[in-house]
Structure formats: structure tokens, C-alpha cells
Amino acid sequence: MGIKLVVFHEEDLVRAALSQVLQGWPETEAVVEAADADQAVRAAEVHQPDLVIMEARGKASERAAAIRAIKEQSDADVLMLAEEGRDRDALHLLSSGAVGWLYSSATAEELIGVAQQIVSGRGFIEPAAVRTLVETVADHNISTVDRIDEGRLRSALTSRELEVMEHVSRGLSNQQIASRLSVSENTVKTHVSRTLNKLGMRSRVEAALVVRNLHATAR
């Protein structure tokens, strides 16, 4: 059985282009378009999609309400398409139930890759947005990962995995980390993936917060 998707974007041409890209994904069973939040919620209720792709542009409070309504009506995951520079909205929208934050400048290949990652049970956060998210959490004194103490973290992860996550917590991309550590980008991706699996997490932000909390405890 294929993957069912809902695409919510207010601009007709962009919505049509996204749909065309997703329809070209071999695993796609159906793509339903929505031009506003009400249509997106209704589509989630009627079609029970695996994934809803939603533009982040607009009032964050309205997008957050739409995410919550979609989650109430279906088991769909929600991926936000955001313009660069709007990362301060990410925490609010992710806390409302979204599991992905992808820049709208992404290529078709990147969009498909992230969609595949999310429907496979993982989350996705743009590496460039991680630092902003961690700082936003710190500014609001929010801690969602205190339950992972230093002993568990150091016993669960290898020294290289810890080193990689140090760089992740600073907002570096996989490519930047690979350059600093003189390894391939695929090696970095493997380390990040293994770390998330070991810690039972879905996104780089959660793992970055673990590292931040570890340092805060050590000080």
C-alpha cells in the first residue's frame, strides 16, 4: 500500500509544483491539495494521510492550531515548509505536533528524502535551524530531555558520536561536520542516525538539547 499525502500551500503554483514532485515519488498512492488550513484539516479527516506537508508562512498561532486539528483528526505526521529566517517559529510549531522543519528552498530530491525519512518514523530539522531552536529552548528555560543523564549518554554513545553531536548542537550541517572531522558526509549521517536510534529520539534538536544539558550540568 502506498503513501498518502496532503499538500497545504496557499499559492496555487507552488502547491501544484509540490504535488507534481510528490506524485513522481514511486511510493505515492495519492496526493490531495489544500489551499487553506480548513481544507487541510478536512483532507486529513477524510483521507487519513500518512504525511501532511504544510507551509509555515502565515501566523504561527494559526499554523499551530491547524497542526493540532490535523493530529486530532488523523495519525498523519506534519512536515513544515519554511522560509529561511523563520526558525524562531519552529519551536512553537514542533511543540504543536509537527515533526519536520524543511526550508522551502529544498530541491525536489531533498523534499522526497525528508518525506521518506518522516514516514519511516524519523523527524527532520534543518541543520541551520538547530542552533536557533536550542537557543529558543534555553531562553524559555525549557528542558524536554533532562531524563537522559550523563552516565547514560556516555555509556550509550561512542566518543565519535559524542563529538559529532557536539557539532550538531552548534548548528553545523552534516557537510560542515564532515569537513571538520575529515570524514565523509555519509559517515556523519550514520553517526547522527545511530545516535537518534540509541537515544530514542526523532530529531537533531532533541539530541542537541541533550548535549546542551550535559554541558549545563557540568558547569
Side-chain angles (χ1 to χ4, degrees), residues 149-161:
D149 59 24
E150 180 177 357
R152 178 187 165 193
L153 184 65
R154 295 196 181 280
S155 63
L157 305 182
T158 66
S159 59
R160 180 60 100 180
E161 288 166 346

Side-chain angles (χ1 to χ4, degrees), residues 6-23 31-36 39 53 55 81:
V6 170
V7 176
F8 165 27
H9 201 289
E10 293 181 354
E11 293 187 17
D12 293 345
L13 288 176
V14 176
R15 188 171 65 251
L18 290 170
S19 294
Q20 185 174 17
V21 168
L22 294 166
Q23 286 167 353
V31 179
V32 178
E33 296 184 14
D36 58 39
Q39 288 183 15
I53 298 175
E55 67 166 326
L81 281 182

Side-chain angles (χ1 to χ4, degrees), residues 122 152 190 192-202:
R122 294 274 301 281
R152 178 187 165 193
T190 298
V192 173
S193 178
R194 287 177 177 171
T195 296
L196 297 180
N197 287 335
K198 287 179 179 180
L199 300 180
M201 296 176 173
R202 293 191 68 170

